Amino acid sequence: MSLKYIEFLTPGTLYYKPISQYNDESNKGTFIIQKLNVDLWNQNKDENWHYCINKKNELPKQGWKIHITATLEEAQKTLDNVTPYLIEKNISFKFVPAYQELLFKNSKNGDRSSSGKFITIYPKDTREFLDLLTILENLIISLHRGPYILNDKQWNGSNVFFRYGGFVPMYTIYKGVSVPAIITPDGAKIPDLRNPYYELPSFIEEPKVIKEMTKKMDKLFENEDTSKFDELEVLSALHFSNGGGVYKVKKNNQTLVMKEGRPETGLDRLKLDGFKRIKIEKDTLKKLNSKPYVVDFYDYFEIWENNYLIEEYLEGINLQEYIAQNLPF
């Protein structure tokens, strides 16, 4: 390693902190809920989910499902607030069973379409689904904002999200691969695609209360200042991760890089999310802006929940590509 980097790697400097300062061994372990009556509930657990299926209410094959998101620190408290009501009302649900699994789900390399989903709730019909939205919002209204769930719609800016999809395992062939499915009114199976954005099946219309909520939230976002973002022309996506995308952009005929940071998700082994990493990179680049071997800082701004760093774009290949092309073996 070149000695020119030593000043940035020495413990106690502006650019380096020993990993021990980030380690937090608290809150690790298995998440727990109250003991369930075995005559009323079936419970199963695997490494991804702890299933609590009520025997009294038969689970529909598909419908409006609700997801509850939570920060790592408040995951157990979220369970404590939400599950007693679900148990009392005989509403089936599942939750991520352990701290480490939730950390992995929300990690930088986690699946973007499932990130943030801590509790999944299965209402028996649309009426129960709509009632639950407000009830659940009030149960967890005092808790911190959890990760945003990309393929769901958010209810009133809360930690309650929802989408229409399958409740029980159903599959169909899509592009030669077996994928989760839902059933159309005429009985055909179509893919229940888990894309990282909210979309509805063609045969489903949102209830009126959802449409009204959407209009209300859209009106609030109209006041958001997006001028700095609007000045940029996105040319291509360079990289996607759970913590946010990296884009090649253009402004005033100059090619730049735009890095996006998402809060409470894209967690690394120091439990820093994409939003915090972008802020750290911004602060560091500004301190190093006079150094000839560091990319130039151009701009930084925050829009809605996310933040964006604009920096110099350099033509070339990364180290992994260089090694693959030049390794003598």
Side-chain angles (χ1 to χ4, degrees), residues 6-163:
I6 291 297
E7 64 174 299
F8 310 123
L9 298 177
T10 304
T13 65
L14 291 171
Y15 314 104
Y16 174 91
K17 289 183 180 179
I19 193 171
S20 60
Q21 292 187 25
Y22 293 98
N23 284 341
D24 178 9
E25 299 301 321
S26 63
N27 296 322
K28 293 186 178 180
T30 302
F31 298 125
I32 58 173
I33 59 171
Q34 68 187 70
K35 189 174 181 180
L36 299 183
N37 185 338
V38 295
D39 295 327
L40 290 177
W41 295 88
N42 283 323
Q43 290 191 78
N44 292 292
K45 186 189 293 187
D46 56 32
E47 63 179 11
N48 298 307
W49 295 105
H50 183 148
Y51 300 86
C52 302
I53 307 301
N54 188 263
K55 298 178 182 179
K56 187 176 179 180
N57 290 323
E58 184 178 355
L59 201 65
K61 288 185 177 180
Q62 62 194 47
W64 290 100
K65 63 173 72 174
I66 297 174
H67 294 112
I68 305 295
T69 186
T71 64
L72 286 172
E73 293 74 17
E74 292 186 332
Q76 182 60 57
K77 190 171 183 179
T78 301
L79 272 180
D80 295 341
N81 289 11
V82 169
T83 56
Y85 181 84
L86 301 177
I87 294 167
E88 178 188 353
K89 299 299 182 181
N90 297 313
I91 300 171
S92 296
F93 63 97
K94 67 180 180 181
F95 62 93
V96 179
Y99 180 94
Q100 289 296 331
E101 178 58 28
L102 185 60
L103 175 60
F104 176 75
K105 183 185 285 285
N106 296 336
S107 70
K108 183 177 179 181
N109 296 317
D111 183 352
R112 290 192 300 151
S113 65
S114 62
S115 176
K117 297 175 181 177
F118 176 46
I119 307 174
T120 302
I121 300 165
Y122 302 102
K124 64 183 177 183
D125 53 33
T126 301
R127 180 71 265 162
E128 184 170 72
F129 158 68
L130 295 175
D131 290 342
L132 277 170
L133 292 175
T134 300
I135 292 169
L136 294 168
E137 177 189 7
N138 290 331
L139 287 174
I140 55 177
I141 197 168
S142 63
L143 303 183
H144 291 91
R145 185 73 62 86
Y148 191 92
I149 300 174
L150 291 176
N151 62 354
D152 283 19
K153 178 170 280 192
Q154 188 178 29
W155 172 254
N156 271 340
S158 69
N159 281 348
V160 180
F161 291 75
F162 58 89
R163 67 181 290 266

Side-chain angles (χ1 to χ4, degrees), residues 249-281:
V249 300
K250 181 177 283 188
K251 179 181 178 181
N252 299 329
N253 293 321
Q254 183 177 12
T255 302
L256 302 164
V257 170
M258 178 175 72
K259 294 185 176 181
E260 174 188 49
R262 298 177 56 213
E264 299 299 335
T265 193
L267 302 173
D268 59 22
R269 67 193 187 102
L270 305 179
K271 302 186 187 69
L272 296 175
D273 60 25
F275 190 96
K276 293 186 182 73
R277 284 197 303 275
I278 290 294
K279 291 196 78 169
I280 291 171
E281 182 173 351

Side-chain angles (χ1 to χ4, degrees), residues 232 249 256-259 285 296-301 308-312:
L232 301 166
V249 300
L256 302 164
V257 170
M258 178 175 72
K259 294 185 176 181
L285 282 181
D296 290 335
F297 165 84
Y298 277 84
D299 202 358
Y300 170 88
F301 51 90
Y308 298 88
L309 171 64
I310 312 301
E311 60 187 38
E312 181 184 12

Side-chain angles (χ1 to χ4, degrees), residues 129-327:
F129 158 68
L130 295 175
D131 290 342
L132 277 170
L133 292 175
T134 300
I135 292 169
L136 294 168
E137 177 189 7
N138 290 331
L139 287 174
I140 55 177
I141 197 168
S142 63
L143 303 183
H144 291 91
R145 185 73 62 86
Y148 191 92
I149 300 174
L150 291 176
N151 62 354
D152 283 19
K153 178 170 280 192
Q154 188 178 29
W155 172 254
N156 271 340
S158 69
N159 281 348
V160 180
F161 291 75
F162 58 89
R163 67 181 290 266
Y164 189 94
F167 284 11
V168 298
M170 297 183 289
Y171 297 92
T172 189
I173 301 300
Y174 178 69
K175 296 183 178 180
V177 179
S178 179
V179 298
I182 52 176
I183 300 175
T184 64
D186 60 6
K189 284 185 177 181
I190 61 172
D192 183 13
L193 297 176
R194 314 296 170 87
N195 294 318
Y197 50 84
Y198 175 73
E199 62 179 337
L200 284 176
S202 59
F203 59 92
I204 294 297
E205 183 178 358
E206 288 184 333
K208 181 180 177 182
V209 67
I210 301 298
K211 293 179 180 178
E212 291 173 348
M213 184 275 300
T214 304
K215 288 181 181 178
K216 182 183 74 173
M217 298 305 295
D218 287 346
K219 196 165 186 179
L220 290 176
F221 293 145
E222 285 177 3
N223 298 323
E224 193 81 32
D225 182 8
T226 63
S227 56
K228 288 193 173 185
F229 188 91
D230 297 337
E231 292 172 352
L232 301 166
E233 177 190 357
V234 178
L235 302 176
S236 64
L238 300 175
H239 175 69
F240 284 117
S241 80
N242 211 8
V246 181
Y247 304 90
K248 186 178 179 181
V249 300
K250 181 177 283 188
K251 179 181 178 181
N252 299 329
N253 293 321
Q254 183 177 12
T255 302
L256 302 164
V257 170
M258 178 175 72
K259 294 185 176 181
E260 174 188 49
R262 298 177 56 213
E264 299 299 335
T265 193
L267 302 173
D268 59 22
R269 67 193 187 102
L270 305 179
K271 302 186 187 69
L272 296 175
D273 60 25
F275 190 96
K276 293 186 182 73
R277 284 197 303 275
I278 290 294
K279 291 196 78 169
I280 291 171
E281 182 173 351
K282 178 260 295 185
D283 292 340
T284 303
L285 282 181
K286 290 179 77 172
K287 295 185 181 88
L288 298 175
N289 224 23
S290 62
K291 304 293 182 180
Y293 39 81
V294 178
V295 295
D296 290 335
F297 165 84
Y298 277 84
D299 202 358
Y300 170 88
F301 51 90
E302 300 178 10
I303 299 178
W304 183 50
E305 294 187 344
N306 301 341
N307 60 355
Y308 298 88
L309 171 64
I310 312 301
E311 60 187 38
E312 181 184 12
Y313 175 79
L314 298 176
E315 293 284 353
I317 61 175
N318 61 39
L319 183 59
Q320 186 177 14
E321 292 170 326
Y322 178 84
I323 292 174
Q325 295 175 19
N326 294 278
L327 195 66

